[in-house]
Amino acid sequence: MTIKLVTSTVLPTPFAEFRLHGFLADNGKEHVALTLGDITTSEPVLARVHSECLTGDALFSLRCDCGPQLESAMRKIADLGRGCILYLRQEGRGIGLINKIRAYAEQDKGLDTVEANEILGFLPDMREYDIAAKMFEQLGVQQIRLLTNNPRKLKALTDVGVNILERVQHRVKTTAHSHRYLATKAAKMGHME
Ligand SMILES: [Zn+2]
């Protein structure tokens, strides 16, 4: 898949004034990156690869920890004055928004997140990371310190050629609602708690 950087602008936020970069992939998907400071030097860049979660990122959902994770990454990068967040539009672990809502409806009946996706006929995690490598490259990022608790993401990004110097623990507070989801991520998907 090819992806290209189309345009960039300033994005003032409560945390810092980021640069916002718009990317277009050849499958028509639009992705964005937030950057702060000069990320093109050889000094490792604090980075987060975040997959879109409309319910968590924009609707304050307590069913997952995506919103707090995104906010925490923005704060850490703002504190440091330098870093990069790739925001990949692969909603619901790649199954799409409507299917994610369907999976939630299955969970309402008592299934966990992995079982719910399997019932719907999808693999537990369909996200692809090859575009992330290309986005980092086009932004001029040489090597990163990755904010994540997910060993699969670490491996997937390494496999596609992202130069990860270090994993930086990225823990956020859990709520009563997200506790079960996070426990499932830890037990079934190998997340580090
Ligand atoms: Zn989420």
Side-chain angles (χ1 to χ4, degrees), residues 11-54:
L11 191 76
T13 73
F15 319 114
E17 189 169 285
F18 288 88
R19 296 284 301 167
L20 176 67
H21 310 270
F23 289 82
L24 183 60
D26 60 4
N27 63 357
K29 280 256 182 187
E30 299 171 325
H31 305 276
V32 296
L34 284 177
T35 65
L36 187 66
D38 184 2
I39 55 166
T40 64
T41 66
S42 60
E43 193 190 336
V45 175
L46 185 63
R48 166 99 186 143
V49 176
H50 189 89
S51 293
E52 176 179 32
C53 174
L54 182 86

Side-chain angles (χ1 to χ4, degrees), residues 51-57 63-67 100 104 181:
S51 293
E52 176 179 32
C53 174
L54 182 86
T55 47
D57 297 340
R63 296 190 81 129
C64 63
D65 59 347
C66 302
K100 184 172 82 169
Y104 279 165
Y181 166 76

Side-chain angles (χ1 to χ4, degrees), residues 3-174:
I3 183 163
K4 72 172 188 228
L5 176 55
V6 179
T7 185
S8 302
T9 186
V10 172
L11 191 76
T13 73
F15 319 114
E17 189 169 285
F18 288 88
R19 296 284 301 167
L20 176 67
H21 310 270
F23 289 82
L24 183 60
D26 60 4
N27 63 357
K29 280 256 182 187
E30 299 171 325
H31 305 276
V32 296
L34 284 177
T35 65
L36 187 66
D38 184 2
I39 55 166
T40 64
T41 66
S42 60
E43 193 190 336
V45 175
L46 185 63
R48 166 99 186 143
V49 176
H50 189 89
S51 293
E52 176 179 32
C53 174
L54 182 86
T55 47
D57 297 340
L59 301 177
F60 307 98
S61 168
L62 298 178
R63 296 190 81 129
C64 63
D65 59 347
C66 302
Q69 284 205 13
L70 180 62
E71 181 178 330
S72 170
M74 289 175 77
R75 285 183 188 279
K76 284 173 184 170
I77 288 168
D79 287 349
L80 201 64
R82 183 171 178 268
C84 177
I85 297 173
L86 301 187
Y87 190 93
L88 307 180
R89 309 283 301 285
Q90 36 193 7
E91 178 68 53
R93 299 180 177 276
I95 66 173
L97 181 58
I98 297 295
N99 283 326
K100 184 172 82 169
I101 297 171
R102 284 199 180 112
Y104 279 165
E106 292 299 326
Q107 287 166 55
D108 296 342
K109 299 178 204 160
L111 301 183
D112 72 32
T113 180
V114 172
E115 289 166 346
N117 282 358
E118 282 167 354
I119 286 260
L120 289 166
F122 299 102
L123 297 169
D125 197 336
M126 293 177 61
R127 291 174 292 188
E128 293 175 4
Y129 290 108
D130 56 335
I131 53 168
K134 290 169 182 154
M135 289 169 77
F136 278 132
E137 191 183 320
Q138 287 179 50
L139 290 166
V141 173
Q142 298 171 34
Q143 46 188 357
I144 64 170
R145 298 167 57 228
L146 184 68
L147 284 162
T148 190
N149 299 321
N150 182 351
R152 286 192 186 190
K153 188 187 284 184
L154 204 64
K155 183 179 185 309
L157 287 169
T158 304
D159 286 349
V160 294
V162 177
N163 192 359
I164 303 172
L165 219 67
E166 183 192 354
R167 178 184 82 90
V168 181
Q169 194 178 66
H170 194 54
R171 200 184 287 169
V172 294
K173 272 183 278 176
T174 62

